[in-house]
Amino acid sequence: MSIPNTYTLSTVGIVHSCYKEKFGIPRQPGLVKEATARLELLPPFNRLDTLDGLSDYSHIWIQFVFHACLTEGWKAKVRPPRLGGKDKLGVFATRSTHRPNPIGLSVVKIGRIYQEEKRVFIDLHGADLLDGTPVLDIKPYLPYADNITDATAEKTPAPTNVKNVRFSQLAKQQCENYQNTHDKNIITLIEQVVAQDPRPSYLTNQTDREHGITLWDINIKWCARNDHFEILCIESIQESQR
């Protein structure tokens, strides 16, 4: 039997996400529960009958393309961030984006399934997907089969929040104004994203250095203090680009 070297896959949907850049995206799904996104089905799959019965499930598996890493190629061994960026593991023992085939897999909680004119959407909660991510497939999450209670992962223990997140008076006021205007819980979203400490491993021991994360249409400026992370201020993308 001859096995083809390549296959042709169709993009069934695209993700509209709060994450506008790679920096700040949690390293696994479900860690930032306030993160929201919409999965839009693309023609010819943009039909509600393709999703008939999906509302009976709480979560789905999403297979997607690491589209922002296509030019970076693959590596046989990588340094997973959860190991401090020091130890190397084989690429197939990690969830690295630098893979022979740039395919990712995430399990996310689903919300509304709906249609706006001829566009069909699924609301997603807790996603770790970059805005514009192409989706290859959607499958329901089956608790009796997918939840393996005795599974082990010695090299990658569950993450813990090392420091609390605090807001300056300016940032708190700006966030409250944003929430009142846009009806989005930006304070909780910022707290959950920054608490994951998205900094590269070589910066985790540095304090008082300013960082920026883009969420929705705002840029969040923050820094690490000795015992907490501080949100300095937020500003619209248009203002930050002036």
Side-chain angles (χ1 to χ4, degrees):
M1 176 180 176
S2 177
I3 299 177
N5 290 327
T6 60
Y7 297 86
T8 300
L9 302 176
S10 299
T11 302
V12 303
I14 189 169
V15 173
H16 306 287
S17 169
C18 62
Y19 299 115
K20 305 301 181 181
E21 59 185 12
K22 289 187 290 183
F23 182 62
I25 297 179
R27 297 182 175 108
Q28 299 297 336
L31 298 179
V32 177
K33 299 187 183 304
E34 192 61 34
T36 57
R38 296 201 300 174
L39 196 169
E40 179 181 359
L41 296 186
L42 299 178
F45 315 106
N46 57 333
R47 300 165 41 171
L48 282 175
D49 59 355
T50 66
L51 303 175
D52 188 26
L54 192 63
S55 60
D56 295 333
Y57 301 90
S58 63
H59 293 72
I60 55 174
W61 290 104
I62 295 179
Q63 290 174 299
F64 61 92
V65 176
F66 290 114
H67 67 294
C69 304
L70 294 178
T71 62
E72 299 176 9
W74 72 282
K75 300 176 182 178
K77 302 198 76 173
V78 296
R79 291 185 171 89
R82 291 284 294 122
L83 301 184
K86 297 179 181 179
D87 297 334
K88 281 189 173 184
L89 292 176
V91 63
F92 296 131
T94 75
R95 297 192 178 189
S96 168
T97 59
H98 304 291
R99 318 191 68 78
N101 294 305
I103 297 174
L105 180 67
S106 288
V107 60
V108 298
K109 182 178 176 64
I110 62 174
R112 287 195 307 150
I113 299 172
Y114 56 101
Q115 183 170 353
E116 292 180 351
E117 296 181 349
K118 294 184 179 181
R119 303 172 70 187
V120 176
F121 297 94
I122 306 173
D123 282 345
L124 308 178
H125 302 277
D128 58 341
L129 301 169
L130 181 65
D131 189 57
T133 292
V135 173
L136 300 176
D137 201 7
I138 304 164
K139 291 183 173 70
Y141 177 90
L142 303 179
Y144 73 88
D146 297 336
N147 183 19
I148 304 175
T149 57
D150 60 347
T152 61
E154 296 180 7
K155 283 286 187 179
T156 52
T160 57
N161 293 341
V162 179
K163 296 178 182 177
N164 292 325
V165 177
R166 302 176 188 172
F167 290 74
S168 70
Q169 283 298 114
L170 173 61
K172 184 176 181 180
Q173 184 60 55
Q174 291 172 327
C175 288
E176 290 175 351
N177 292 339
Y178 184 90
Q179 291 188 174
N180 292 334
T181 303
H182 296 83
D183 193 28
K184 291 179 180 178
N185 190 356
I186 196 67
I187 292 178
T188 302
L189 177 60
I190 292 172
E191 286 177 335
Q192 293 180 358
V193 169
V194 174
Q196 301 297 323
D197 193 357
R199 296 174 296 169
S201 57
Y202 66 89
L203 291 178
T204 53
N205 292 324
Q206 293 189 18
T207 57
D208 302 324
R209 174 171 176 164
E210 185 176 297
H211 304 276
I213 291 178
T214 301
L215 296 173
W216 293 121
D217 57 348
I218 59 173
N219 182 40
I220 297 95
K221 294 185 178 180
W222 61 282
C223 68
R225 305 301 190 192
N226 288 328
D227 61 347
H228 67 280
F229 296 121
E230 182 179 1
I231 309 304
L232 304 174
C233 66
I234 71 170
E235 57 186 13
S236 70
I237 299 300
Q238 291 82 357
E239 291 176 350
S240 65
Q241 292 175 343
R242 289 175 184 171

